[in-house]
Amino acid sequence: MNSLSIYPTPISSKLATEQKVPHAQMARLTNSSDFVPDEDRDAYFFRDLERHRILLNQAQVQAVRHFKGPLLTLAGAGSGKTTVLVCRVAYLLRVHRVHPSNVLLITFSKKAAEEMRERLATLPGLDTSITNSMQVRTFHAFCLRLLRMNGFNQEILSDGRFQQIVFKRIMLSMGLQDTYQPEVLISILSSYKMQLIEVSDLSEDTEEDQEMKRIFLQYEQWKMEQMKIDFDDILILAYQLLKDNGDILRSLERKFSYISVDEFQDTNTVQYEIIKMIAQNHQNLMVVGDDDQTIYSFNGARNEFILQFHEQYPTATTVTLDINYRSTSSIVGLGNAIIKHNVKRKNKTLLATKQSETKPLYVRPASSDEEADWLINDIRVKVAEGGCAYGDFAILYRTQSNSRAIIEQLILHNLPFVDYGSTDSFYEQWMVKPIIDHLRIAHERRNFEAIEGVLPSLYIGRDQGMRIIQEQEAIQAKKWPLIHLLGLPQLKDFQKEKLKSRIRLIKTLAEMKPLAAIQAIRKDFYDAFLETNKRSKLTHHREMLKETLDELESSAKRFDSVEQFLYFIHEVAIKRTEMSALQKGHAANRVSLMTIHKSKGLEFKVVYLLCAIEGNMPHSSALEANQLNDVQLAGVTARDKTAAALEEERRLAYVAVTRAKAELLISSPAYYRGKKAEPSRFLLSAFPGADVTDSRKPAAAAPTKTAAPRTAAAAKPTATELVAAWVCGQAGCKAWSRISSPQESRRTAKACPLCGEAMVKGSRLVPLAR
């Protein structure tokens, strides 16, 4: 397929051309020479900047000139926040004669810290001898330096893979091997620690809670015995040091009389508390961030730190950087139109500086594979025409599983690309690999690596199972080595029957088409295995497991035999290995693939946003957020959980859109993993008059002090409540039914009683029962 119909709006119908495409207002282009007269005492500073082609607008100048007291700088997407940060530091040094050693500039990545240090050194009046005496660091680098200066000499556990090995060893010693994913346990432990929750205080309400707590306690004990600390410990130990040692805290307060924090919206609790302690007396604290780009709540980022900044610092000045220098007016306008529907945000509307040569465009492919086929062709045409290089393109998606089809197409067409997500193939994911291993055994019954991979699904430990197979194979080799497992002494009769049944199933798979084989595996045991598996229970959104396996089926249906499918998987693995060996340099001429989360802070000439549909954007997990038992949402009502999750999903859509500089192409497949799909509500709501039914609208969150003022009519309370519901996925059908029992909430599919189409889990506002 070479082409698809392209529309100016996400509503792919005759109404599409009738919708008004949102545009941002154009900013009046001014710079510091327009409002900093030569007679001002600091005019020389701005004249020097102007000679270096650093032309600050009025809000930027206001932020740079700020001297004493707290300052909240709301930096919209593409508004030049890094320029403001470094110029304000230069202003302190040159105009106010602040000593470089008294300045602390904190950011979140090593790359950003290095960039700021380099940019500072190039500013007029500064050089490396000055910037080298400044603290321009990440939170972790700053805290580690603090620890080292105060006698903490533990080795840093910096290798993530080794950290996972430690967790695996601990679970093995507890008889819990293959029970939990090490990376999930590490993430959960990090979430607790970044919220300043002690491991000893964790609940023991369920068997899983008890096991996790024991694993975490043993991990903490192991680190202590081995004199090691991990990255989370760096922050925790620094926080405890400052909290417990007043002399050290006072020395930092005196030393760092001016503090600036970049990407403040990404700050977690422990980082925020560290900064508050150091700045508590002088309060010369400048924070720069954008509440509309808070998308890391799963890592502990807290949107309320920006929203409630004035409650913590009542005398704070607020400066809003609302001029976007990155994107065209139609891209900025779409971002504005998307994010304005969030309630818990600072009220701001970005202006543009670039007129639109092309507007955001929308395609409606039939499936993810057709989406990938169209995208590859579009990239090849643009490169062939000479207007773009491969390095100009970014392909963004909500979850890593969305990238399966596009990566395979890039491989098949031999186009250069770099994947900024997992280095593992889609087929190596922990929930996918056991199914592939069953297919490998069916194709090659003596594949011992695959045999080891299926043992956990038989509830047999890998070490014990492979030991008896190897021992018995040495005595007498079997045509199907799995049969040796019947010799395990602890196996009960019913377990032996299940093992025999599994071998019979595997024998039938080789002659099936791969799609039928995968469906047979899922139906026979695998879906039930995942449902009861503790790994699955620790996955915040079990729907992600199902959607990953659905994606596996979508891939398999293209092949006529298991052998063809396995060969293709092998080829994909080889190509990915070659890809991971390439340097991930930003200047390299390769297409960039990444999740929206990975894209924050980056910009690209051309952006493709994939799979912008209901159930993926917002993700189905957000629609079921009321069922989450998440440390980040502790004590939050079900209604507020859903509203908070949907607002973060909308912020993700906003971040994706605002990565594009010149061209933005958004795809909303009509069918997603075999089910009918509708364009994302976030896109539809951006167009006045779009037919977005109540069932498609996100639940309204409670208004905050920072929300835009409402009319008297809108402010009038209504007697309604938000309930979980099945909502019809068919456009125009308004059927829905309430989810009123735990049994109903566990259902994964339901047909609409009116039109017969698949329903999706969502929510509805209903009159409050009295």
Side-chain angles (χ1 to χ4, degrees), residues 554-624:
S554 294
S555 175
K557 69 184 181 184
R558 300 169 297 161
F559 299 90
D560 292 326
S561 71
V562 168
E563 183 178 9
Q564 287 178 355
F565 187 39
L566 292 176
Y567 179 78
F568 179 78
I569 291 172
H570 176 68
E571 288 297 298
V572 169
I574 291 175
K575 288 286 187 178
R576 288 195 67 99
T577 301
E578 294 172 356
M579 176 203 71
S580 64
L582 296 174
Q583 180 183 0
K584 293 184 178 180
H586 196 64
N589 189 25
R590 298 190 295 277
V591 179
S592 296
L593 278 73
M594 64 191 77
T595 62
I596 300 171
H597 285 98
K598 292 274 188 181
S599 74
K600 194 169 78 66
L602 303 178
E603 58 183 39
F604 303 90
K605 181 178 179 180
V606 183
V607 168
Y608 296 91
L609 176 58
L610 303 189
C611 210
I613 57 171
E614 287 292 303
N616 193 61
M617 187 182 296
H619 194 270
S620 55
S621 59
L623 302 175
E624 297 179 358

Side-chain angles (χ1 to χ4, degrees), residues 321-561:
L321 307 181
D322 60 359
I323 299 178
N324 180 294
Y325 294 95
R326 172 190 300 154
S327 310
T328 63
S329 62
S330 58
I331 293 173
V332 177
L334 178 60
N336 287 338
I338 288 173
I339 201 62
K340 72 178 183 181
H341 294 281
N342 268 5
V343 175
K344 290 191 173 182
R345 64 183 293 259
K346 294 285 189 179
N347 189 30
K348 56 187 175 295
T349 302
L350 297 190
L351 306 174
T353 57
K354 298 178 181 178
Q355 292 285 359
S356 296
E357 295 183 8
T358 62
K359 301 177 177 65
L361 298 175
Y362 305 83
V363 295
R364 191 88 162 111
S367 65
S368 295
D369 285 299
E370 187 176 75
E371 175 183 66
D373 194 16
W374 164 81
L375 194 157
I376 292 296
N377 183 66
D378 198 61
I379 289 177
R380 295 173 74 178
V381 168
K382 285 182 167 66
V383 172
E385 290 175 347
C388 295
Y390 289 115
D392 292 327
F393 300 101
I395 303 172
L396 309 183
Y397 31 81
R398 171 64 181 81
T399 65
Q400 193 65 38
S401 66
N402 296 146
S403 67
R404 191 272 310 165
I406 187 61
I407 285 177
E408 291 176 0
Q409 286 296 319
L410 286 164
I411 288 173
L412 288 172
H413 289 85
N414 201 31
L415 297 187
F417 73 99
V418 58
D419 180 6
Y420 287 87
S422 170
T423 56
D424 292 333
S425 163
F426 169 81
Y427 305 100
E428 291 294 316
Q429 294 185 38
W430 73 267
M431 71 289 284
V432 173
K433 190 174 183 298
I435 292 182
I436 304 301
D437 283 336
H438 279 80
L439 298 182
R440 285 177 173 139
I441 297 172
H443 178 62
E444 183 187 357
R445 51 183 173 263
R446 296 182 61 77
N447 186 325
F448 291 98
E449 182 183 351
I451 288 172
E452 181 178 353
V454 308
L455 293 180
S457 67
L458 289 163
Y459 299 97
I460 295 173
R462 292 175 187 263
D463 293 342
Q464 183 187 30
M466 292 308 296
R467 189 183 308 117
I468 192 168
I469 287 175
Q470 290 163 356
E471 289 172 354
Q472 294 303 310
E473 278 287 297
I475 298 171
Q476 182 179 3
K478 292 286 187 181
K479 187 176 180 179
W480 293 89
L482 273 173
I483 203 74
H484 291 306
L485 296 173
L486 291 171
L488 284 169
Q490 78 275 19
L491 284 191
K492 296 182 172 55
D493 289 341
F494 78 91
Q495 291 175 300
K496 292 180 180 179
E497 287 304 314
K498 285 188 177 295
L499 175 58
K500 292 176 183 177
S501 175
R502 183 72 60 84
I503 294 173
R504 287 195 296 271
L505 171 66
I506 292 173
K507 288 179 179 179
T508 68
L509 300 177
E511 301 305 317
M512 293 183 184
K513 289 192 174 184
L515 174 59
I518 292 169
Q519 291 173 336
I521 292 170
R522 293 184 65 178
K523 182 178 179 181
D524 186 81
F525 72 93
Y526 198 65
D527 281 357
F529 169 73
L530 284 182
E531 184 69 22
T532 58
N533 188 272
K534 290 177 181 178
R535 284 185 171 194
S536 306
K537 289 183 178 181
L538 282 192
T539 301
H540 285 183
H541 313 306
R542 270 192 247 179
E543 185 66 22
M544 288 184 178
L545 300 179
K546 181 181 181 300
E547 76 175 32
T548 300
L549 297 187
D550 289 346
E551 186 65 32
L552 177 62
E553 291 188 9
S554 294
S555 175
K557 69 184 181 184
R558 300 169 297 161
F559 299 90
D560 292 326
S561 71

